[in-house]
Amino acid sequence: RARQQLLREREAMAVGDAEGRTLREFCKKAGAARQMAEAAAVKAQERAARREAAAAAAAAKQAEVDAVEKRRAARRRAQEISDKRLEMKELHERAQRDLSKARAQLKA
């Protein structure tokens, strides 16, 4: 009878030990899974940050290109205005000469 009791206790201990082992393994696996999930989240955040940085860099580059284009357009417009002023000045001078000639012809 004592021997059967001892066998039952050993069996119970073995089952308990096996359950403890599986619980420890489960906890290890759960911890590893949590670490993997955290690592994946960090990687996803890094990817998102890289995407945002690339988008910001592209926007900055586009703004720079737009600014250069606006400067060129302003320079072209200023040159057109300058050319037009010169043309008007020449026309005015020619008109003044023609007027002087006409007055001289009238006096003569």
Side-chain angles (χ1 to χ4, degrees), residues 85-102:
R85 284 181 66 188
L86 189 61
E87 185 184 330
M88 291 298 149
K89 186 177 177 186
E90 290 169 358
L91 279 173
H92 178 70
E93 289 170 357
R94 191 180 316 143
Q96 289 286 11
R97 284 194 302 272
D98 292 348
L99 184 62
S100 295
K101 285 180 190 175

Side-chain angles (χ1 to χ4, degrees), residues 54-99:
K61 181 71 176 161
Q62 187 59 47
E64 192 178 326
V65 167
D66 292 347
V68 167
E69 201 52 45
K70 281 183 182 176
R71 264 199 312 276
R72 285 182 186 155
R75 246 187 246 128
R76 268 196 306 274
R77 184 77 180 119
Q79 188 62 48
E80 289 170 7
I81 291 169
S82 177
D83 292 349
K84 199 68 161 168
R85 284 181 66 188
L86 189 61
E87 185 184 330
M88 291 298 149
K89 186 177 177 186
E90 290 169 358
L91 279 173
H92 178 70
E93 289 170 357
R94 191 180 316 143
Q96 289 286 11
R97 284 194 302 272
D98 292 348
L99 184 62

Side-chain angles (χ1 to χ4, degrees), residues 18-84:
E19 286 174 356
R21 194 175 324 115
T22 56
L23 185 62
R24 278 194 306 274
E25 288 170 3
F26 174 78
C27 288
K28 271 189 204 171
K29 287 178 183 174
R34 183 178 50 80
Q35 286 176 343
M36 285 170 56
E38 287 171 358
V42 167
K43 280 184 183 177
Q45 287 172 344
E46 288 171 355
R47 277 196 301 273
R50 277 197 297 274
R51 269 197 303 274
E52 286 175 22
K61 181 71 176 161
Q62 187 59 47
E64 192 178 326
V65 167
D66 292 347
V68 167
E69 201 52 45
K70 281 183 182 176
R71 264 199 312 276
R72 285 182 186 155
R75 246 187 246 128
R76 268 196 306 274
R77 184 77 180 119
Q79 188 62 48
E80 289 170 7
I81 291 169
S82 177
D83 292 349
K84 199 68 161 168

Side-chain angles (χ1 to χ4, degrees), residues 4-18:
Q4 279 184 334
Q5 179 68 27
L6 188 65
L7 280 173
R8 274 197 297 264
E9 284 176 9
R10 279 192 186 157
E11 192 177 308
M13 283 172 59
V15 167
D17 188 43

